[in-house]
Amino acid sequence: MSFDFPLILLVLVSVSGLVWLADALVFAPRRRQRHEAISSGAALDAPPLEEPVLVEYARSFFPVLFVIFILRSFIVEPFQIPSSSMVPTLQVGDYILVNKFTYGLRLPVARTKVLDISEPQRGDVMVFFPPHQNKTYFIKRVIGIPGDVIEYKNKQLSVNGERLALDFVDVVIERGRPYHLLSETLPNGETRDIQFDPLRPVRDFKEVVKPGHYFMMGDNRDNSSDSRVWGQVPEEDIVGKAFAIWMHWESVLSTPSFDRVGGIR
């Protein structure tokens, strides 16, 4: 997910559209005129009026590319989860759908917002460009919105001085190492499962979320590079809200699965 696919798609749509348009307005009429001139002055039938291969490809691919461009830029975009930073909510190999208009319509590539719709809320799972890698998509959970005071002490998260309740769920073993699954309750009463590594120490911190920024954390709290490491995410780097898993396919050597299909919370 590190290459600039929106830019590549924009170039393909633009080039194919311009080729098709230029041919329709300029070159196709000239070809017809030449064909008619040859036909009227020849004893035998003129050769068939053939369309250049480049124009044929442009005419065939432009409508498909244009529809894909509109869908991915303004409505919904698919992503694949490449890391375990959002375990247990999202697993490596999950294919997810991201709503591109929930947080407002943005111009593709430029990322300029042209229409306000809503703002990210605490608990949303959001795709964005992190401040340290501005062309790489990241996915984390919104922990703090502008003005919030975020505190993390002894692996206990507090928002605006209110500690989020934690309830033990289970212990899982991964590669011979125990991890704790817990249920965390947001101030609004919503819950989500998170994962801790009880053997791994983490630093405590306290931070105020700046205006126009968001504090992001992975649900796999001790195995996530997030706002604790590279800082808060500015509003202009938001991509969209992740809302559904539509397939799980960990590698080309494995079999795609639809057991995890469903909404993301």
Side-chain angles (χ1 to χ4, degrees):
M1 298 200 299
S2 59
F3 62 92
D4 199 340
F5 186 80
L7 178 59
I8 295 172
L9 187 58
L10 176 61
V11 170
L12 291 174
V13 170
S14 301
V15 170
S16 60
L18 288 173
V19 168
W20 188 15
L21 181 63
D23 183 74
L25 297 179
V26 179
F27 300 107
R30 292 179 182 177
R31 287 198 305 273
R32 285 194 293 270
Q33 289 175 359
R34 288 198 299 268
H35 181 78
E36 291 170 359
I38 293 173
S39 300
S40 61
L44 301 176
D45 290 339
L49 183 62
E50 294 184 353
E51 188 176 60
V53 174
L54 179 61
V55 175
E56 183 180 350
Y57 277 117
R59 179 172 54 81
S60 300
F61 285 112
F62 173 75
V64 177
L65 292 172
F66 182 75
V67 169
I68 294 174
F69 178 74
I70 294 298
L71 286 174
R72 292 182 63 105
S73 299
F74 302 108
I75 301 176
V76 66
E77 186 170 1
F79 289 95
Q80 188 220 356
I81 302 301
S83 74
S84 61
S85 68
M86 282 297 291
V87 169
T89 304
L90 298 171
Q91 304 288 337
V92 175
D94 281 347
Y95 282 74
I96 65 170
L97 295 175
V98 174
N99 187 317
K100 300 297 290 289
F101 59 84
T102 295
Y103 303 136
L105 292 179
R106 300 171 185 271
L107 295 177
V109 182
R111 308 179 195 168
T112 303
K113 184 186 284 190
V114 294
L115 178 64
D116 280 320
I117 296 179
S118 66
E119 301 296 333
Q121 302 298 312
R122 300 185 198 95
D124 287 356
V125 177
M126 190 168 78
V127 173
F128 56 93
F129 295 99
H132 70 300
Q133 294 187 34
N134 206 245
K135 290 187 179 297
T136 302
Y137 295 104
F138 271 45
I139 182 167
K140 309 288 180 186
R141 192 179 295 275
V142 179
I143 298 298
I145 61 177
D148 282 349
V149 179
I150 307 299
E151 186 174 8
Y152 198 60
K153 188 173 183 179
N154 297 324
K155 300 192 178 185
Q156 174 70 61
L157 181 64
S158 298
V159 179
N160 297 327
E162 183 177 347
R163 295 180 63 183
L164 305 191
L166 291 175
D167 294 305
F168 178 80
V169 176
D170 199 2
V171 175
V172 296
I173 306 298
E174 295 181 7
R175 299 178 182 176
R177 191 180 183 94
Y179 289 87
H180 290 179
L181 291 181
L182 302 120
S183 176
E184 187 175 67
T185 303
L186 295 171
N188 63 6
E190 294 181 2
T191 62
R192 71 281 183 101
D193 289 339
I194 58 175
Q195 180 169 292
F196 285 124
D197 182 349
L199 303 179
R200 182 173 180 177
V202 294
R203 71 176 182 87
D204 296 339
F205 70 89
K206 187 174 183 179
E207 193 169 325
V208 178
V209 184
K210 297 179 290 187
H213 287 70
Y214 296 88
F215 196 93
M216 313 299 298
M217 292 178 69
D219 288 349
N220 194 355
R221 290 287 168 79
D222 299 325
N223 290 282
S224 172
S225 174
D226 48 39
S227 289
R228 295 171 291 179
V229 178
W230 33 253
Q232 302 172 17
V233 175
E235 192 274 339
E236 60 265 24
D237 289 337
I238 293 174
V239 174
K241 180 180 179 180
F243 68 93
I245 301 170
W246 62 274
M247 184 178 69
H248 180 85
W249 191 12
E250 193 162 340
S251 71
V252 294
L253 300 178
S254 63
T255 303
S257 168
F258 298 95
D259 293 341
R260 291 180 48 76
V261 170
I264 298 172
R265 67 178 188 87

